Amino acid sequence: MTDWQQRLRDAAQQRTAQVAQRTVRTVQRRDGARVWVDGRELIDFAGNDYLGLASDPRLARALRDAAAHGVGASASHLVSGHHAAHAALEQALARWLDAPRALLLGSGYAGNLAVLQGLLGRADHCIQDRLNHASLIDGARLAACTLHRYPHADAAAAERQLAHGSGAGLRLLASDGVFSMDGDVAPLAALAAACARHDALFYVDEAHALGVLGSTGAGSVAAAGLSTSQVPLRLCTFGKALGCYGAALVGDGALIEHLQQSARPYIYTTALPPALAEVAHAAVLLAQNADAERARLQALIAHLRSGAAQLGMALMPSSTPIQPLLIGDNARTVAIADALRAHGFWVGAIRPPTVPPGQARLRITLSAAHSTADIDALLDALLALAGGTDHAH
Ligand SMILES: *Cc1c(COP(=O)(O)O)cnc(C)c1O
């Protein structure tokens, strides 16, 4: 056995021992909150399709129409791949978030790398919530800056780290707006005030908030009553509530210009297919006008939480469509998720390193495409499989 084969075998054995092995399941078809996997129909409580747009016929039609003009961009934005569809989408996003400019990226992952690599270097400091998305951590590594991680949602601790990092170099504080595995909202007003006191740049990742929070779905920053002057840069992703794929940075004009000129994950990659930009543009317009879906989502969230409380199931504190049930142990979490799937419900079994050790959980996500009957059925199954008040032990 060669060295690399030995390495792979050791890693696989360790994954098995820790019940950390993950499985890819193939979706044959999706229709709203229904998915067909291995020939069986499941109600999807695992995805991020918060407004039910991923299989919306209006977007499917937009994609068909856009495809009539071809598929690929043919080059990166700065060479010859920037199309009218990209420019129109950037303008629509900037208008939606009430910011001067937007810049398209291939994905949210690339967007977070672009911001931190494009703005920070060795002498600089990046201050981050401990539970930020992995792409923000990876961006700080790529920037080779000093990374400080403060206890989750602790604005006072964040401020101490901002003060500590003062003197040499830039300071950038990055936070998820809505935390992807917990569902809670960052203390954005307190963080913005701390950044203002310490002359730091505040960057918010809106991946799970865009389309969901704020009066037109403009995200967590808008919902907190903040604007580009307090939060000069935001990440929008199209793969969650917008039901598409791709991402954009939205914010201050000088920041966007600098990133366009210097961010490697923007420069050295082919532009998003223009057809996909047209679809994302259609999704932006639908999401902006989805007040009824947002109201429905809030009603479904309230229904799940009150139902769970009546059954003695303590969901983690969250007011967003991400409603995790903490289990703790990996094997037990996977066993419950497997049993739920056998009963027709798809719920994510989230384990370390995605969450801290000992905090494996069922990540239940809601969509405007769910019905209250879907939620009642899930609650019945959860009660039978995970039990009531003692589920966490
Ligand atoms: C999903 C996600 C990303 C990555 O976005 P993609 O477009 O899927 O690459 C970034 N940040 C957060 C918080 C996310 O949840």
Side-chain angles (χ1 to χ4, degrees), residues 202-263:
F202 190 18
Y203 172 53
V204 174
D205 179 338
E206 296 277 26
H208 293 279
L210 190 74
V212 175
L213 298 185
S215 60
T216 62
S220 63
V221 169
L226 302 171
S227 66
T228 304
S229 52
Q230 293 109 336
V231 187
L233 197 58
R234 285 172 267 178
L235 175 74
C236 294
T237 66
F238 311 153
K240 281 141 188 169
L242 297 190
C244 300
Y245 187 77
L249 295 164
V250 183
D252 173 83
L255 275 173
I256 296 292
E257 176 65 22
H258 179 84
L259 291 170
Q260 184 164 43
Q261 299 295 329
S262 60

Side-chain angles (χ1 to χ4, degrees), residues 24-65:
V24 176
R25 293 195 171 77
T26 304
V27 174
Q28 269 100 31
R29 186 159 77 83
R30 160 180 290 281
D31 181 9
R34 259 61 183 174
V35 288
W36 282 261
V37 179
D38 299 329
R40 290 195 45 235
E41 180 180 337
L42 302 176
I43 307 175
D44 183 10
F45 287 101
N48 306 305
D49 183 25
Y50 305 124
L51 298 175
L53 288 177
S55 58
D56 190 298
R58 293 167 295 182
L59 287 191
R61 207 175 311 120
L63 183 57
R64 262 197 315 274
D65 293 348

Side-chain angles (χ1 to χ4, degrees), residues 107-109 112 133 135 176 180 205 207-208 235 237 240 246-247:
S107 69
Y109 190 99
N112 278 335
H133 192 260
S135 54
D176 288 11
S180 54
D205 179 338
H208 293 279
L235 175 74
T237 66
K240 281 141 188 169

